[in-house]
């Protein structure tokens, strides 16, 4: 069976078999066999090829790495763990988003600490040339109501979402920044291949729940799991009324 993912990635990048073979210093027939016969390249070539095409190695060759290799690589994606979100240094949020060149993603219920931070707001505005997507909880959803009950806050959670929208007033008008309402229970903060994941713990408010700092590396699958989840939430989210 041909490797259609590899073929499509080449086409998307406007590369030919000959130019790719030259950049990797391999015979063009070797590259052709990778595509038409789904031959698996040596690992050094897989890394180089995936980097050249801007995709993950495991996307092009899902079975290339053993479970042990994927597990080891995924473990290396964990940079640090904070016992509580309040333990994350204040400037770490700004540094995270400032590193983004292609993508910023925020998935929260209210995320008031971000919307009320003028420095973060400026960073989001400056990064609008990339893609900035902000997901807030739908205040009318049963998920938000349930989370409020979990935290013993009642209707306060829905009210906080409304409060968070106010500082975003100007940002919501800016091209390159998208807002949507979601109905899930996740807290993800993304800057390209780095994530701060605020875990969900029943009966514990977001500021007091642990945070994982993750950075994607070749062969790992931990970051990919969260990024794929973010995309599923985004696809099911709805535009915020008035936007």
């Amino acid at each position: 069976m041909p490797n259609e993912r590899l073929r499509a990635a080449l086409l998307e990048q406007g590369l030919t078999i000959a130019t790719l073979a030259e950049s990797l210093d391999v015979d063009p027939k070797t590259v052709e066999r990778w595509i038409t016969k789904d031959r698996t390249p040596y690992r050094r070539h897989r890394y180089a090829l995936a980097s050249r095409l801007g995709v993950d190695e495991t996307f092009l060759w899902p079975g290339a790495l053993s479970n042990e290799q994927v597990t080891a690589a995924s473990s290396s994606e964990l940079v640090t763990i904070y016992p509580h979100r309040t333990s994350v240094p204040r400037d770490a949020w700004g540094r995270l988003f400032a590193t983004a060149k292609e993508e910023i993603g925020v998935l929260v219920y209210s995320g008031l600490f971000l919307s009320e931070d003028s420095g973060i707001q400026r960073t989001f505005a400056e990064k609008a040339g990339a893609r900035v997507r902000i997901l807030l909880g739908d205040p009318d959803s049963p998920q938000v109501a349930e989370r409020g009950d979990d935290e013993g806050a009642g209707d306060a959670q829905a009210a906080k979402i409304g409060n968070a929208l106010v500082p975003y007033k100007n940002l919501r008008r800016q091209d390159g920044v998208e807002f949507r309402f979601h109905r899930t229970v996740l807290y993800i903060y993304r800057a390209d291949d780095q994530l701060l994941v605020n875990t969900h713990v029943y009966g514990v408010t977001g500021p007091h729940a642990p945070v994982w700092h993750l950075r994607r590396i070749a062969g790992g699958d931990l970051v990919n799991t969260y990024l794929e989840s973010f995309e599923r939430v985004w696809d099911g989210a709805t535009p915020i009324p008035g936007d």
Side-chain angles (χ1 to χ4, degrees), residues 198-227:
N198 194 179
T199 61
H200 173 69
V201 181
Y202 181 82
V204 176
T205 61
H208 298 289
V211 170
W212 300 359
H213 182 183
L214 307 175
R215 185 192 297 267
R216 182 161 56 181
I217 66 169
D221 207 31
L222 187 56
V223 170
N224 286 337
T225 297
Y226 280 106
L227 293 183

Side-chain angles (χ1 to χ4, degrees), residues 74-105:
S74 299
S75 298
S76 298
E77 291 185 311
L78 180 60
V79 178
T80 190
I81 297 176
Y82 298 99
H84 313 288
R85 196 181 73 202
T86 53
S87 304
V88 181
R90 183 178 178 81
D91 61 348
W93 300 98
R95 289 199 308 270
L96 173 75
F97 295 123
T99 64
K101 296 180 179 179
E102 298 178 357
E103 175 90 26
I104 284 177

